Amino acid sequence: MQFTAKQIGEFLNGTVEGDENAKVSTLSKIEDGAAGSLCFLSNPKYENYLYTTAASVVIVSQDFVATQPVKSTLVKVKDPYSAFSVLLDKYNEFANASENEVGIHSSSYVHPSAKIGKNVYIGPFCCIEENVEIGDGCKLNAQTFIGANSTLGKNCVLYPGVKIYKRSVLGNSVIIHSNTVIGSDGFGFAPQADGSYNKIAQIGNVVIEDDVEIGANTAIDRATMGSTFVRKGVKLDNLIQIAHNVEVGAHTVVAAQTGISGSTKLGSNSVIGGQVGIAGHLNLGNKTQIGAQAGINFDTEENKQWHGSPAQPLKEWMRSTVIFKKLPEVDKRVRELEAQIAALKTLVEKMTTTQTP
């Protein structure tokens, strides 16, 4: 399908600068823009591409002022990144319109006691155990497993290979990507006198609230007792470990390879970078921000930024980083001073010996 710059401007409540009849039929990155494509500019470091791109239409900020001639038609909006994400959603809807299948594939197993809503798709080789409830509009792609007594709300999308253990609860519009496991055993073992470990039964579950998206190969353990909670609007990247009885606060985002240990409560609207390690039984305040590869082993207050391992407040970490970079120079100077002190000691000793009667 084709759209004009004028149509895009009206859809996004933006203003058009240039040819309002310029047509686009595809989306692209600004550095790869070609005739007939639409792209956006939100990060200033990519501005140089605006003056060389062949894209027909570019979405920019409403206060953007070009410093060189621009060949493309500009659509000016309040927030280019958000506006482009809206267009990506619409483009994805058009692209996947032919994939709106419904029904149960003949190779899948659905227990007779399971309750399946309207317009549900269950793909090849899925397994739905007893007393499962699946809401209207859900899509379960190939090789999905839903354990006994689990519940899925409306319009959930589970990509191939997702495994949902028994008694798990998913809200509405939950998206889970391939090979993620929800409700696996919490990591609980009791040490014995002989040095061995006895497994502690994990009898709780996992509760995932509405509008959560979970990346591929992520694991969320069920609680020892009670529930592990992923609150409304949370976005989890790939390769994340959420341990038993953790609570991830609403609208929090967590980047790849982060691990959150058991019984920790992570506040709402927090931002966690990649490869962050968070110890167990902690309380992290709302709007906590943690930089990549940081290690947290203490409670945090609301609206604080942390970096480093062990983590420090942002300003302290920045000062420490400057000092750390200078350590080789400091080491060299210390060695030189030690040599000078040793030489002075030797000189003093010689002078003392010479002056002795």
Coordinates of all heavy atoms in Angstrom, one line a residue, residues 35-87:
A35 N 14.2 5.8 -2.3 CA 13.0 6.4 -2.9 C 11.8 5.5 -2.5 O 11.8 4.3 -2.7 CB 13.2 6.5 -4.4
G36 N 10.7 6.1 -2.1 CA 9.5 5.4 -1.7 C 9.5 4.9 -0.3 O 8.6 4.2 0.1
S37 N 10.6 5.2 0.5 CA 10.6 4.7 1.9 C 10.3 5.9 2.9 O 10.5 7.1 2.6 CB 12.0 4.1 2.2 OG 13.0 5.0 2.2
L38 N 9.9 5.5 4.1 CA 9.6 6.5 5.2 C 10.6 6.1 6.3 O 10.7 4.9 6.7 CB 8.2 6.3 5.6 CG 7.8 7.0 6.9 CD1 7.8 8.5 6.7 CD2 6.4 6.6 7.4
C39 N 11.2 7.1 6.9 CA 12.1 6.9 8.0 C 11.9 8.0 9.0 O 11.1 8.9 8.9 CB 13.6 6.7 7.6 SG 14.2 8.0 6.6
F40 N 12.7 7.9 10.1 CA 12.6 9.0 11.2 C 13.9 9.4 11.7 O 14.9 8.6 11.6 CB 11.7 8.5 12.3 CG 12.3 7.6 13.3 CD1 12.7 8.0 14.5 CD2 12.6 6.3 13.0 CE1 13.3 7.2 15.5 CE2 13.2 5.4 13.9 CZ 13.6 5.9 15.1
L41 N 14.0 10.6 12.3 CA 15.2 11.1 12.9 C 14.8 11.6 14.3 O 14.0 12.5 14.5 CB 15.8 12.2 12.1 CG 17.0 13.0 12.8 CD1 18.2 12.1 12.9 CD2 17.3 14.3 12.0
S42 N 15.4 10.9 15.4 CA 15.2 11.4 16.7 C 16.5 11.6 17.5 O 16.6 12.4 18.3 CB 14.3 10.4 17.5 OG 14.9 9.2 17.7
N43 N 17.5 10.8 17.1 CA 18.8 10.9 17.7 C 19.7 11.9 16.9 O 20.0 11.7 15.8 CB 19.5 9.5 17.8 CG 20.7 9.5 18.7 OD1 21.4 10.5 18.8 ND2 21.0 8.4 19.3
P44 N 20.2 13.0 17.6 CA 20.9 14.0 16.9 C 22.2 13.4 16.2 O 22.6 14.0 15.2 CB 21.3 15.0 18.0 CG 20.3 14.8 19.0 CD 19.9 13.3 19.0
K45 N 22.7 12.3 16.7 CA 24.0 11.8 16.1 C 23.8 11.3 14.7 O 24.7 11.0 13.9 CB 24.7 10.8 17.0 CG 24.0 9.5 17.0 CD 24.9 8.6 17.9 CE 24.4 7.1 17.9 NZ 25.2 6.2 18.8
Y46 N 22.5 11.0 14.3 CA 22.2 10.5 13.0 C 21.7 11.7 12.0 O 21.3 11.4 10.9 CB 21.1 9.5 13.1 CG 21.5 8.2 13.7 CD1 21.3 7.9 15.1 CD2 22.1 7.2 12.9 CE1 21.7 6.7 15.6 CE2 22.5 6.0 13.5 CZ 22.3 5.8 14.9 OH 22.7 4.6 15.4
E47 N 21.9 12.9 12.5 CA 21.4 14.0 11.7 C 22.1 14.1 10.3 O 21.4 14.5 9.3 CB 21.5 15.3 12.4 CG 21.0 16.5 11.6 CD 21.2 17.8 12.4 OE1 21.3 17.8 13.6 OE2 21.2 18.9 11.7
N48 N 23.4 13.7 10.3 CA 24.1 13.8 9.0 C 23.5 13.0 7.9 O 23.5 13.3 6.7 CB 25.5 13.4 9.2 CG 25.7 12.0 9.7 OD1 25.1 11.7 10.7 ND2 26.5 11.2 9.0
Y49 N 22.8 11.9 8.3 CA 22.1 11.0 7.3 C 21.0 11.7 6.6 O 20.6 11.4 5.5 CB 21.7 9.7 7.9 CG 22.8 8.8 8.3 CD1 23.1 8.5 9.6 CD2 23.6 8.2 7.3 CE1 24.1 7.6 10.0 CE2 24.6 7.3 7.7 CZ 24.9 7.0 9.0 OH 25.9 6.2 9.4
L50 N 20.3 12.7 7.4 CA 19.2 13.4 6.8 C 19.5 14.1 5.5 O 18.7 14.2 4.6 CB 18.6 14.3 7.8 CG 17.4 15.2 7.4 CD1 16.2 14.3 7.1 CD2 17.1 16.2 8.5
Y51 N 20.8 14.6 5.4 CA 21.2 15.4 4.3 C 21.7 14.5 3.1 O 21.9 15.0 2.0 CB 22.3 16.3 4.7 CG 21.9 17.2 5.9 CD1 22.6 17.1 7.1 CD2 20.8 18.0 5.8 CE1 22.2 17.8 8.2 CE2 20.4 18.7 7.0 CZ 21.1 18.6 8.1 OH 20.7 19.3 9.2
T52 N 21.8 13.2 3.3 CA 22.2 12.3 2.2 C 21.2 11.2 1.9 O 21.3 10.6 0.9 CB 23.5 11.6 2.6 OG1 23.4 10.9 3.9 CG2 24.6 12.6 2.9
T53 N 20.2 11.0 2.8 CA 19.3 9.9 2.6 C 18.4 10.2 1.3 O 18.1 11.3 0.9 CB 18.3 9.7 3.8 OG1 17.5 8.6 3.6 CG2 17.4 11.0 3.9
A54 N 18.1 9.0 0.7 CA 17.2 9.1 -0.5 C 15.7 8.8 -0.1 O 14.9 8.7 -1.0 CB 17.6 8.1 -1.6
A55 N 15.4 8.7 1.2 CA 14.1 8.5 1.6 C 13.1 9.6 1.1 O 13.5 10.7 1.1 CB 14.0 8.3 3.1
S56 N 11.9 9.2 0.8 CA 11.0 10.2 0.3 C 10.4 11.0 1.4 O 10.2 12.2 1.2 CB 9.8 9.5 -0.5 OG 10.3 8.8 -1.6
V57 N 10.2 10.4 2.6 CA 9.6 11.2 3.7 C 10.4 10.8 5.0 O 10.7 9.6 5.2 CB 8.1 10.8 3.9 CG1 7.5 11.6 5.1 CG2 7.3 11.1 2.6
V58 N 10.7 11.8 5.8 CA 11.4 11.6 7.0 C 10.6 12.3 8.2 O 10.2 13.5 8.0 CB 12.8 12.2 7.0 CG1 13.5 11.9 8.4 CG2 13.6 11.6 5.9
I59 N 10.3 11.6 9.2 CA 9.7 12.1 10.4 C 10.7 12.8 11.3 O 11.7 12.1 11.7 CB 8.9 11.1 11.2 CG1 7.8 10.4 10.2 CG2 8.2 11.6 12.4 CD1 7.1 9.2 10.8
V60 N 10.5 14.0 11.7 CA 11.5 14.7 12.6 C 10.7 15.4 13.7 O 9.5 15.5 13.6 CB 12.3 15.8 11.8 CG1 13.1 15.1 10.7 CG2 11.4 16.8 11.1
S61 N 11.5 16.0 14.6 CA 10.9 16.7 15.7 C 10.3 18.0 15.2 O 10.8 18.6 14.3 CB 11.9 17.0 16.8 OG 11.4 17.8 17.8
Q62 N 9.2 18.5 15.9 CA 8.6 19.7 15.4 C 9.5 21.0 15.6 O 9.3 22.0 14.9 CB 7.3 19.9 16.2 CG 7.5 20.1 17.7 CD 6.1 20.1 18.5 OE1 5.1 19.7 17.9 NE2 6.1 20.4 19.7
D63 N 10.5 20.9 16.4 CA 11.4 22.0 16.6 C 12.8 21.8 15.8 O 13.7 22.6 16.0 CB 11.7 22.3 18.1 CG 12.3 21.0 18.8 OD1 12.5 20.0 18.1 OD2 12.5 21.1 20.0
F64 N 12.8 20.8 15.0 CA 14.0 20.6 14.2 C 14.3 21.7 13.2 O 13.3 22.1 12.5 CB 14.0 19.2 13.5 CG 15.1 19.0 12.6 CD1 16.4 18.6 13.1 CD2 15.0 19.1 11.2 CE1 17.4 18.4 12.2 CE2 16.1 18.9 10.3 CZ 17.3 18.5 10.9
V65 N 15.5 22.1 13.1 CA 15.9 23.1 12.1 C 17.1 22.6 11.3 O 18.2 22.3 11.9 CB 16.3 24.5 12.8 CG1 16.8 25.5 11.7 CG2 15.2 25.0 13.6
A66 N 16.9 22.4 10.0 CA 18.0 21.8 9.2 C 19.1 22.8 9.0 O 18.9 24.1 8.9 CB 17.4 21.5 7.8
T67 N 20.3 22.3 9.0 CA 21.5 23.2 8.7 C 22.1 23.0 7.3 O 23.0 23.7 7.0 CB 22.6 22.8 9.8 OG1 22.9 21.4 9.6 CG2 22.1 23.1 11.2
Q68 N 21.5 22.1 6.6 CA 21.9 21.9 5.2 C 20.6 21.7 4.4 O 19.6 21.4 4.9 CB 22.8 20.7 5.0 CG 24.1 20.8 5.8 CD 25.0 19.6 5.6 OE1 25.1 19.0 4.6 NE2 25.7 19.2 6.7
P69 N 20.7 21.7 3.0 CA 19.5 21.4 2.2 C 19.1 20.0 2.4 O 19.9 19.1 2.6 CB 20.0 21.6 0.8 CG 21.2 22.6 0.9 CD 21.8 22.2 2.2
V70 N 17.7 19.8 2.4 CA 17.2 18.4 2.6 C 16.3 18.1 1.4 O 15.4 18.9 1.0 CB 16.3 18.4 3.9 CG1 15.6 17.0 4.1 CG2 17.1 18.8 5.1
K71 N 16.6 16.9 0.8 CA 15.8 16.5 -0.4 C 14.5 15.9 0.0 O 13.5 16.0 -0.8 CB 16.7 15.5 -1.2 CG 18.0 16.0 -1.7 CD 18.8 14.9 -2.4 CE 20.1 15.4 -2.8 NZ 20.9 14.4 -3.5
S72 N 14.4 15.3 1.2 CA 13.2 14.5 1.6 C 12.1 15.5 2.0 O 12.4 16.6 2.5 CB 13.5 13.5 2.7 OG 14.6 12.7 2.3
T73 N 10.9 15.0 1.9 CA 9.8 15.8 2.6 C 9.8 15.4 4.1 O 10.0 14.3 4.5 CB 8.5 15.3 2.0 OG1 8.4 15.7 0.6 CG2 7.3 15.9 2.7
L74 N 9.6 16.5 4.9 CA 9.7 16.3 6.3 C 8.2 16.3 6.9 O 7.4 17.1 6.5 CB 10.5 17.4 7.0 CG 12.0 17.5 6.5 CD1 12.7 18.6 7.3 CD2 12.7 16.2 6.7
V75 N 8.0 15.4 7.9 CA 6.8 15.5 8.6 C 7.2 15.8 10.1 O 7.9 14.9 10.7 CB 6.0 14.1 8.6 CG1 4.8 14.2 9.5 CG2 5.5 13.9 7.2
K76 N 6.8 16.9 10.6 CA 7.3 17.3 11.9 C 6.2 17.0 13.0 O 5.0 17.3 12.8 CB 7.5 18.9 11.9 CG 8.8 19.2 11.1 CD 9.2 20.7 11.3 CE 10.5 21.0 10.8 NZ 11.0 22.4 11.1
V77 N 6.7 16.3 14.0 CA 5.8 15.8 15.1 C 6.4 16.1 16.4 O 7.6 16.5 16.5 CB 5.5 14.3 14.9 CG1 4.8 14.0 13.6 CG2 6.8 13.5 15.1
K78 N 5.6 15.9 17.5 CA 6.1 16.2 18.8 C 7.2 15.2 19.2 O 8.2 15.6 19.8 CB 5.0 16.1 19.8 CG 5.4 16.5 21.3 CD 4.2 16.5 22.2 CE 4.6 16.8 23.6 NZ 3.4 16.8 24.5
D79 N 7.0 13.9 19.0 CA 8.0 12.9 19.4 C 8.2 11.9 18.2 O 7.4 11.0 18.0 CB 7.4 12.1 20.6 CG 8.4 11.1 21.1 OD1 9.4 10.8 20.4 OD2 8.2 10.6 22.2
P80 N 9.3 12.1 17.4 CA 9.5 11.3 16.2 C 9.5 9.8 16.5 O 9.0 9.0 15.7 CB 10.8 11.8 15.7 CG 11.0 13.1 16.2 CD 10.3 13.1 17.6
Y81 N 10.2 9.4 17.6 CA 10.3 8.0 17.9 C 9.0 7.3 18.2 O 8.7 6.3 17.7 CB 11.3 7.8 19.1 CG 11.7 6.4 19.4 CD1 12.7 5.8 18.7 CD2 11.0 5.7 20.4 CE1 13.1 4.5 19.0 CE2 11.4 4.4 20.7 CZ 12.4 3.8 20.0 OH 12.8 2.5 20.2
S82 N 8.2 8.0 19.0 CA 6.8 7.4 19.3 C 6.0 7.4 18.1 O 5.2 6.4 17.8 CB 6.2 8.3 20.4 OG 6.8 8.1 21.6
A83 N 6.1 8.5 17.3 CA 5.3 8.5 16.0 C 5.6 7.4 15.1 O 4.8 6.7 14.5 CB 5.5 9.9 15.4
F84 N 6.9 7.1 15.0 CA 7.4 6.1 14.1 C 6.9 4.7 14.6 O 6.6 3.8 13.8 CB 8.9 6.1 13.9 CG 9.4 5.4 12.7 CD1 9.1 5.8 11.4 CD2 10.1 4.2 12.8 CE1 9.6 5.1 10.3 CE2 10.6 3.5 11.7 CZ 10.3 4.0 10.4
S85 N 6.9 4.5 15.9 CA 6.5 3.3 16.5 C 5.0 3.0 16.2 O 4.6 1.8 16.0 CB 6.8 3.2 18.0 OG 5.9 4.1 18.7
V86 N 4.2 4.1 16.2 CA 2.8 3.9 15.8 C 2.7 3.4 14.4 O 1.9 2.5 14.1 CB 2.1 5.2 16.0 CG1 0.7 5.1 15.4 CG2 2.0 5.6 17.5
L87 N 3.5 4.0 13.5 CA 3.5 3.6 12.1 C 4.0 2.1 11.9 O 3.5 1.4 11.1 CB 4.3 4.5 11.2 CG 3.8 5.9 11.1 CD1 4.8 6.8 10.3 CD2 2.4 6.0 10.4

